Amino acid sequence: MAIPTTRPAGIAEHAEIPLESEPDALTIGRRIRHLRTARGMTLDELGAAIGRAPSQVSLLENGKREPKFAQLQAVARALGASLDDLLSPEAPSRRDALEIELERAQRGPLFDALGLRPVRVGKSLPTDALETIVALERELQRLHTERAATPEEARRANAELRATMRAQDNYFPELEDAAAELLDGVGHAGGPLPQRVAADIAAHLGFTLHYVGDLPHSTRSVLDLRHRRVYLPSDGMRGRSNATSALLQALAPHVLGHAEPRDYREFLRQRVEANYLAAALLLPERHAVKALRAAKEAREISIEDLRDAFAVSYETAAHRFTNLATKHLGIPVHFMKVHESGVIHKAYENDGVRFPADPLGAVEGQYVCRSWTARTVFAVEDRLSPFSQYTDTPSGTYWCTSRVQASADGEFSVSVGVPFAHVKWFLGRDTTERLVSRCPDGACCRRPPDALSDRWAGQSWPSARPHASMLAAMPTGAFPGVDTTEVFSFLEAHAPTP
């Protein structure tokens, strides 16, 4: 293929290159390389000056190793530069800026999902070819980001929210404070939260409870802010903890001062905050952390024990563990809720595990490797005992504990996992279950074995069972999927007589 000799559309002569507000390893590395070559130093000479092998300096310059502060000081002295020279977020040249942008793109979810082979970014890559590749990557990103009111918007919003949660270790101090203030307001001293105390919280906030049999089918609860009423279903909530959780989730938007969401991102964020607050009320930070620290000291951390200590569902206990594990126990963790079909329903990670993702970085709706605990647990006959498994993956070995729970939409597995280095704190670490996952390599489990393909390729025609939502647009309105007319008619019918 001929390399174009003209500048491609999308990159002008002095086009601005997207830059980070803070320098990352790539930018720092390019600035080190720029200063080294400007001073006529070789990799060997800079390595000798800072007491490192040339290969380590190369890794630093290519942004493949995060530099430590002391190392940066040594490099700056060797180059006769200041730390500001190394830590500036600006690329040292236009060529470097293009190289940085391409490197970032190649390490992102779009290239990974498309299965593209990475381009070696070096002096041998002509600048006009580099500009062409960057322009194509920008156009791909633009086509993805300009789509609105589509399922892509929901996936993009999920990916952005998951990144925010990862950045703060899934811990929200302002929500913890709100929960503690509410519990103090009703005098809850700790332990499982009785439904009576949840009702006291509603009364403390000035709401009365009303259990009805005609709740709008598109809702789980309805707040009547005019008459300070909470409407909840009179049936369909199995178990006291589910009923209590539903009430707390219904009250959460009022407690947190949520306004009507302006878009799907805000709707999603509000829902996550409401669920978080409900969990923080059911498992108060002070008491849950005390129990978890004692369990860590005894090397007996167990999601089942956390569940039983606070009389909540396994999923609530697993969620709450991910809120507190890194902040208070120093344990990185990942969480997954996976449908029996293998599709991810919810997921969170800050431990380096690589979830399957689409080009937008969203993991919801993606299929989990068949060798992961979240899938293998469905084949376990004993649903009463905890199930744990080690899984060797391309990003490391992870231990995971999982349980299966039934719902109206089928069975789901709820899993909590940690890197191998942290399994020493958990019950179940002595499991002999261990599998190998090579995903995202398609030969792992996404493609059938060659022998089966040779025998059956072209000889089958399965009839798919498409879900009704496959051809549907993303629900519109401030509260996606909610029939506003039905809700308003319900409130009108149930409003107290003046």
Side-chain angles (χ1 to χ4, degrees):
M1 183 180 72
I3 297 175
T5 56
T6 58
R7 189 176 303 278
I11 297 186
E13 181 67 36
H14 299 289
E16 292 186 2
I17 306 298
L19 295 172
E20 299 291 330
S21 59
E22 297 291 338
D24 60 2
L26 272 172
T27 306
I28 294 172
R30 287 303 192 280
R31 295 191 68 83
I32 292 173
R33 186 178 70 181
H34 179 81
L35 291 169
R36 176 180 62 77
T37 55
R39 286 156 175 72
M41 294 181 70
T42 65
L43 284 172
D44 290 331
E45 290 170 340
L46 180 55
I50 65 173
R52 292 289 185 272
S55 60
Q56 292 180 311
V57 178
S58 179
L59 289 174
L60 194 64
E61 291 188 349
N62 289 321
K64 295 181 178 179
R65 175 166 296 175
E66 290 284 347
K68 296 181 179 179
F69 185 73
Q71 192 175 42
L72 283 177
Q73 288 180 311
V75 170
R77 286 194 298 269
L79 295 174
S82 68
L83 282 176
D84 287 342
D85 292 330
L86 301 185
L87 296 176
S88 171
E90 297 181 1
S93 69
R94 175 180 172 75
R95 166 78 189 203
D96 285 302
L98 287 167
E99 289 185 2
I100 290 170
E101 186 173 356
L102 180 55
E103 286 282 14
R104 286 175 181 159
Q106 292 189 130
R107 299 177 188 183
L110 182 60
F111 269 66
D112 189 47
L114 293 175
L116 298 175
R117 294 182 61 183
V119 176
R120 187 178 183 278
V121 182
K123 294 180 180 179
S124 61
L125 181 63
T127 299
D128 52 2
L130 175 60
E131 289 177 330
T132 298
I133 296 170
V134 170
L136 290 171
E137 188 276 332
R138 287 181 181 176
E139 180 63 12
L140 282 173
Q141 292 288 0
R142 185 189 68 79
L143 290 172
H144 282 302
T145 55
E146 73 176 4
R147 296 172 182 171
T150 65
E152 281 77 11
E153 181 183 1
R155 290 197 292 270
R156 187 162 54 247
N158 269 294
E160 292 172 359
L161 180 60
R162 193 160 54 85
T164 299
M165 294 165 66
R166 185 192 307 117
Q168 55 194 63
D169 294 324
N170 200 20
Y171 179 79
F172 294 76
E174 65 280 5
L175 300 183
E176 300 288 354
D177 292 342
E181 184 177 346
L182 273 178
L183 292 172
D184 288 343
V186 296
H188 182 58
L193 187 76
Q195 191 169 357
R196 169 186 55 78
V197 176
D200 289 344
I201 292 176
H204 177 72
L205 296 171
F207 285 89
T208 57
L209 305 184
H210 302 265
Y211 294 92
V212 297
D214 60 343
L215 198 70
H217 76 282
S218 58
T219 66
R220 294 182 295 182
S221 63
V222 175
L223 275 186
D224 178 349
L225 298 175
R226 174 178 295 171
H227 302 104
R228 313 286 286 187
R229 290 181 162 201
V230 184
Y231 291 103
L232 296 159
S234 58
D235 55 7
M237 295 187 299
R238 293 173 293 177
R240 178 182 60 80
S241 65
N242 286 340
T244 304
S245 179
L247 172 56
L248 297 176
Q249 289 172 6
L251 293 168
H254 171 76
V255 175
L256 300 175
H258 286 166
E260 187 172 289
R262 294 164 294 181
D263 53 32
Y264 188 79
R265 284 174 176 77
E266 190 168 356
F267 165 77
L268 187 62
R269 176 185 59 79
Q270 290 180 356
R271 188 176 65 176
V272 167
E273 290 178 352
N275 291 340
Y276 190 112
L277 180 64
L281 289 167
L282 289 166
L283 295 90
E285 180 178 25
R286 182 170 68 253
H287 306 292
V289 169
K290 180 180 179 181
L292 288 172
R293 283 178 172 163
K296 181 183 178 183
E297 185 175 351
R299 299 186 178 229
E300 294 179 347
I301 295 177
S302 164
I303 306 301
E304 283 82 3
D305 288 353
L306 188 64
R307 172 200 64 189
D308 296 342
F310 291 90
V312 295
S313 68
Y314 185 86
E315 182 176 352
T316 298
H319 265 299
R320 193 64 176 133
F321 181 77
T322 66
N323 298 151
L324 305 173
T326 307
K327 171 69 176 178
H328 293 288
L329 306 178
I331 300 176
V333 64
H334 66 268
F335 166 90
M336 300 182 77
K337 183 177 181 181
V338 175
H339 188 257
E340 58 187 324
S341 63
V343 171
I344 297 177
H345 186 70
K346 296 178 185 177
Y348 163 78
E349 47 72 30
N350 71 347
D351 60 356
V353 72
R354 287 188 64 187
F355 291 141
D358 70 3
L360 297 175
V363 302
E364 291 77 12
Q366 301 298 303
Y367 282 90
V368 177
C369 177
R370 295 176 185 273
S371 296
W372 284 24
T373 315
R375 294 287 298 276
T376 60
V377 68
F378 287 107
V380 176
E381 293 184 4
D382 181 3
R383 295 291 175 87
L384 295 178
S385 303
F387 175 74
S388 302
Q389 174 187 305
Y390 290 97
T391 309
D392 299 318
T393 78
S395 56
T397 297
Y398 293 86
W399 172 90
C400 199
T401 182
S402 186
R403 273 194 176 274
V404 175
Q405 60 186 31
S407 77
D409 298 318
E411 292 189 329
F412 287 86
S413 66
V414 175
S415 310
V416 171
V418 297
F420 182 82
H422 292 272
V423 70
K424 60 187 176 182
W425 311 115
F426 291 80
L427 290 177
R429 60 184 176 272
D430 56 349
T431 180
T432 58
E433 300 287 341
R434 188 165 192 155
L435 292 176
V436 176
S437 167
R438 298 190 306 278
C439 283
D441 182 353
C444 178
C445 65
R446 297 184 183 183
R447 296 195 303 265
D450 292 341
L452 280 177
S453 292
D454 292 343
R455 181 171 178 80
W456 291 105
Q459 303 299 318
S460 68
W461 192 278
S463 179
R465 181 191 291 174
H467 192 275
S469 64
M470 284 182 63
L471 302 178
M474 191 176 135
T476 58
F479 303 96
V482 172
D483 185 332
T484 306
T485 302
E486 185 182 20
V487 171
F488 288 173
S489 299
F490 167 83
L491 289 173
E492 186 69 21
H494 286 270
T497 304

